[in-house]
Amino acid sequence: MADVEQNAAVPDGSSTGSDAVNGTAGRFVSSAEGTALAYGSLLLMALLPIFFGALRSVGCSKSKVTDSYLETLQMKECAKTMHVKIFSQEYINLLLSMYFFVLGVLALSHTMSPFMCRVFPANVPNKQYQLLFTQGSGEGKEEIVNYEFDTKDLICLGISSVVGVWYVLKKHWIANNLFGLAFALNGVELLHLNNVSTGCILLGGLFVYDVFWVFGTNVMVTVAKSFEAPIKLVFPQDLLEKGLDASNFAMLGLGDIVIPGIFIALLLRFDVSLKKNTRTYFYTSFLAYIFGLGLTIFVMHTFKHAQPALLYLVPACIGFPVLLALFKGELTEMFSYESSDEVLPHTPRLTHFPTVSGSPASLANSMQSFGLSTPRRRRHTPSDIYEESSPEEASSKEEITESDKDK
């Protein structure tokens, strides 16, 4: 997932790439059609990863996913503060290019995987592969990397690598958006909030954080314009005039998609837990997100100033579902819902936020978010053994337990 600190939506005339860095880009007055196309495209691109990521988060929670695939954010993690260290812009851009090349290829490959499963020819053999690195020998032998994949995964990795090379060499806005959409969808799918209270704390804290760094300083806008990394979605306002070589962009940070998105996905899982065959809270929060982002774009366009999108998204995404639950008399049930219990009983807890710092630890944590971290050997508990046993063995063990209790 990309850095959640990139939350500022930037208005007309902003540029990315070398022109923006060197300060040589001239002021471009976009046409009404170009502006409408840019803002509408940003809105659509923001909705796609939230909608499909939320649906895939439900499938992810129901499937037998490995422990390293899923991360659950708890209350204590959401109260921690994120820090950014600013170094030379050239070194940062170089580091981010390599960093996001690896992560982008993996994220885009994971995003394409369900589609590839559907279109993969049945007559082509799907061979299984395993990448295994171990440390030591004998009884002290320990697995460092144990990654299993098949032919379909190799095809997805190949296609994603082409996009990655395109992005590194050209920094084209389409390649940037492909990586950005993949990061956002994977973030919504794989990052799970454990309850609504945690979501409210997370969104509320980042609400204050976002407002301060956009209105209180110019750090957010400067970073969003200067650093060449797929941590934002961009769309040119001069596309109609210059075509694919357009360079004047409106932009939206991935944090404005992922942070509300994981809350909306939580409400979808809450809908599923009610077993009423309705998606009332999901659709309500989804429409609230559209309203909040639309209001952000309206204010941004009216005042010609970058806006903290969470200023409008957080009240909408929290307020509308809470009011609905209050009206339906399900407010207590909503806040008592625990997603982590229904998802995976043995899901590991996220000990800190994934950050974009370029350190080996942050790289490993980000790779873990996309399911490529080192598989940890699961310690079997008595309940696990019962689950893995046959019905006859489980019943016999229950009889033994009952006899022990009688003794």
Side-chain angles (χ1 to χ4, degrees):
M1 186 182 72
D3 192 347
V4 296
E5 294 174 358
Q6 297 302 317
N7 287 335
V10 181
D12 301 5
S14 61
S15 299
T16 60
S18 59
D19 289 342
V21 174
N22 298 328
T24 58
R27 180 73 178 178
F28 175 78
V29 180
S30 60
S31 63
E33 295 82 2
T35 301
L37 178 62
Y39 289 156
S41 299
L42 284 180
L43 179 61
L44 178 61
M45 286 191 293
L47 296 178
L48 289 177
I50 292 179
F51 185 83
F52 291 105
L55 294 179
R56 288 175 62 163
S57 74
V58 176
C60 180
S61 66
K62 289 182 177 180
S63 63
K64 297 293 183 180
V65 190
T66 58
D67 289 351
S68 60
Y69 242 70
L70 194 61
E71 295 293 353
T72 302
L73 298 178
Q74 287 187 306
M75 188 175 297
K76 62 181 180 180
E77 285 89 30
C78 295
K80 292 185 178 180
T81 306
M82 294 167 289
H83 301 277
V84 177
K85 295 181 180 180
I86 304 299
F87 299 99
S88 172
Q89 180 177 311
E90 291 78 11
Y91 292 112
I92 290 292
N93 284 333
L94 178 61
L95 176 64
L96 291 180
S97 295
M98 301 308 299
Y99 182 85
F100 283 106
F101 170 79
V102 176
L103 296 184
V105 168
L106 299 179
L108 190 58
S109 177
H110 180 254
T111 302
M112 294 170 53
S113 181
F115 175 76
M116 183 59 63
C117 292
R118 296 180 180 180
V119 301
F120 191 78
N123 58 346
V124 177
N126 186 29
K127 298 181 179 180
Q128 301 294 320
Y129 304 92
Q130 184 179 25
L131 183 63
L132 178 63
F133 288 95
T134 60
Q135 181 180 1
S137 60
E139 296 181 356
K141 190 174 182 180
E142 182 181 359
E143 291 183 359
I144 303 300
V145 175
N146 188 354
Y147 181 48
E148 297 180 355
F149 54 97
D150 54 26
T151 305
K152 293 179 289 186
D153 296 325
L154 285 177
I155 296 176
C156 292
L157 284 172
I159 297 174
S160 302
S161 298
V162 173
V163 177
V165 172
W166 181 25
Y167 169 76
V168 170
L169 296 180
K170 299 296 184 180
K171 292 295 190 297
H172 198 276
W173 60 273
I174 295 180
N176 173 91
N177 287 348
L178 289 175
F179 275 176
L181 289 171
F183 286 140
L185 191 147
N186 279 272
V188 176
E189 176 188 358
L190 300 176
L191 286 175
H192 285 191
L193 292 165
N194 66 326
N195 56 51
V196 175
S197 299
T198 302
C200 292
I201 292 175
L202 175 65
L203 267 66
L206 290 177
F207 170 88
V208 177
Y209 184 90
D210 201 19
V211 171
F212 171 77
W213 284 103
V214 174
F215 287 150
T217 69
N218 63 349
V219 171
M220 281 291 188
V221 179
T222 301
V223 172
K225 288 182 178 181
S226 301
F227 287 161
E228 299 176 354
I231 51 179
K232 56 186 177 289
L233 297 179
V234 299
F235 199 89
Q237 301 180 66
D238 53 347
L239 179 67
L240 299 178
E241 291 80 9
K242 298 183 179 180
L244 296 180
D245 294 328
S247 59
N248 289 81
F249 298 95
M251 63 183 70
L252 179 69
L254 294 189
D256 299 325
I257 302 173
V258 175
I259 297 301
I262 60 178
F263 185 76
I264 294 172
L266 171 66
L267 294 179
L268 176 58
R269 297 194 298 275
F270 172 63
D271 277 324
V272 173
S273 71
L274 294 177
K275 299 179 181 179
K276 295 182 179 179
N277 200 26
T278 60
R279 302 294 182 265
T280 308
Y281 292 100
F282 169 68
Y283 290 126
T284 300
S285 58
F286 191 75
L287 292 175
Y289 181 87
I290 297 176
F291 169 77
L293 189 56
L295 183 60
T296 304
I297 293 174
F298 173 78
V299 175
M300 180 178 63
H301 180 72
T302 301
F303 293 97
K304 309 297 181 184
H305 188 276
Q307 295 295 314
L310 295 184
L311 173 64
Y312 310 96
L313 292 173
V314 170
C317 291
I318 293 180
F320 281 74
V322 168
L323 289 176
L324 177 63
L326 189 63
F327 175 77
K328 298 179 66 175
E330 296 176 343
L331 188 63
T332 302
E333 191 172 3
M334 172 189 283
F335 278 88
S336 62
Y337 167 69
E338 288 286 340
S339 175
S340 58
D341 292 340
E342 291 191 2
V343 175
L344 284 174
H346 305 283
T347 298
R349 301 298 184 243
L350 186 66
T351 56
H352 61 279
F353 282 107
T355 58
V356 180
S357 63
S359 65
S362 64
L363 176 60
N365 290 334
S366 299
M367 292 180 70
Q368 182 181 19
S369 298
F370 299 109
L372 291 181
S373 65
T374 304
R376 285 162 288 187
R377 293 175 179 173
R378 182 175 175 180
R379 296 181 179 178
H380 293 283
T381 62
S383 60
D384 296 334
I385 298 174
Y386 274 67
E387 290 174 1
E388 296 172 0
S389 303
S390 62
E392 294 78 5
E393 293 173 337
S395 61
S396 63
K397 289 171 183 175
E398 290 176 0
E399 293 174 359
I400 295 174
T401 303
E402 292 296 331
S403 63
D404 291 340
K405 289 181 179 179
D406 294 337
K407 292 179 181 178

